[in-house]
Amino acid sequence: MNHSVWLLLLMVGLWATDALMGVGVFWEHDLRHQHIPWRVWAATEWTAGRIPLWNPDVGNGFGLAGDGQTGVFYLPTMLLFAWLPAALAVNMAILGHVAWAAEGMRRLMLQLSVTGPGAWLAAVAFAFSGFMTTHAGYLGMQNAAAWLPWLVGATVVGRWAPIGLCSAMIMVAGHPQVAAMGLLGAFAVAIWKRNVPTFGVGVLLGVVAASPQILATW
């Protein structure tokens, strides 16, 4: 990794040193009541070889996969919760997506010919913005939003495969509203860059890849 990536990782670590060192955990608000229990249960089901469609232990039963906020088809956090203790998994999920958001925005700025301090300022302003930091308590929203600069960047350069990947990831990360607004914004960028056909192909592939989540919610 180049020095820029290392510096971004250092900044993320300084933002939540206790979480990085394992002496603190993100455990406030909806994380405690919903997001962590959802993902622990879903990861347990995946590990047992079952698709986490229905949780019979909540009320009279809960259609876990159908709730677009649970992220049961979002591979990054499912792997973290399957392989790591819950406290470490949620810490790595949040910090990892802060870093992902920062690097995505830095690269987007480079694609828009903004270099040097300008690219860094954009990366820091987005990844550590009030929206991103306060919504760390809504894991799916934070995870989905971290993909926004990557989706816009793929749209700017007009590459259908990255557009498809980013579209799929933002649709399954765990927040349908962020996905919808992000895709709408990226579509506006596609119009600006005259990449609408390429964007359409990429999003269509993303919809196919995200179809398990889309169909479950429907």
Side-chain angles (χ1 to χ4, degrees):
M1 292 188 291
N2 60 40
H3 69 280
S4 297
V5 176
W6 283 114
L7 186 55
L8 284 175
L9 291 176
L10 175 62
M11 293 177 66
V12 173
L14 292 174
W15 176 65
T17 306
D18 55 344
L20 184 65
M21 299 299 293
V23 296
V25 60
F26 290 95
W27 190 247
E28 75 281 359
H29 201 36
D30 284 4
L31 283 174
R32 179 174 68 250
H33 301 301
Q34 297 172 313
H35 295 283
I36 294 175
W38 282 340
R39 286 160 177 79
V40 168
W41 188 87
T44 301
E45 288 293 284
W46 281 120
T47 303
R50 296 185 295 267
I51 302 174
L53 296 175
W54 182 264
N55 186 344
D57 299 323
V58 178
N60 290 322
F62 174 46
L64 194 76
D67 188 321
Q69 299 181 88
T70 56
V72 301
F73 297 107
Y74 185 54
L75 188 60
T77 51
M78 284 297 101
L79 290 176
L80 287 173
F81 278 90
W83 293 344
L84 300 174
L88 183 57
V90 70
N91 284 353
M92 292 301 100
I94 291 174
L95 295 178
H97 282 84
V98 172
W100 188 246
E103 178 62 9
M105 184 57 75
R106 187 185 71 85
R107 294 191 181 211
L108 172 59
M109 290 299 101
L110 297 179
Q111 291 163 344
L112 295 174
S113 300
V114 178
T115 59
W120 275 96
L121 177 60
V124 172
F126 178 67
F128 299 99
S129 65
F131 178 87
M132 292 296 290
T133 55
T134 58
H135 287 92
Y138 305 90
L139 190 58
M141 181 183 288
Q142 190 248 15
N143 290 177
W147 284 92
L148 291 176
W150 294 92
L151 175 60
V152 173
T155 305
V156 166
V157 299
R159 298 176 61 190
W160 59 267
I163 291 172
L165 173 63
C166 294
S167 297
M169 297 300 272
I170 201 172
M171 283 188 274
V172 301
H175 202 269
Q177 296 94 324
V178 167
M181 290 184 288
L183 289 167
L184 183 61
F187 178 63
V189 173
I191 295 174
W192 168 46
K193 288 293 184 177
R194 300 180 181 178
N195 288 332
V196 173
T198 302
F199 180 78
V201 171
V203 172
L204 179 60
L205 291 174
V207 168
V208 172
S211 59
Q213 179 63 75
I214 295 171
L215 291 172
T217 302
W218 179 75

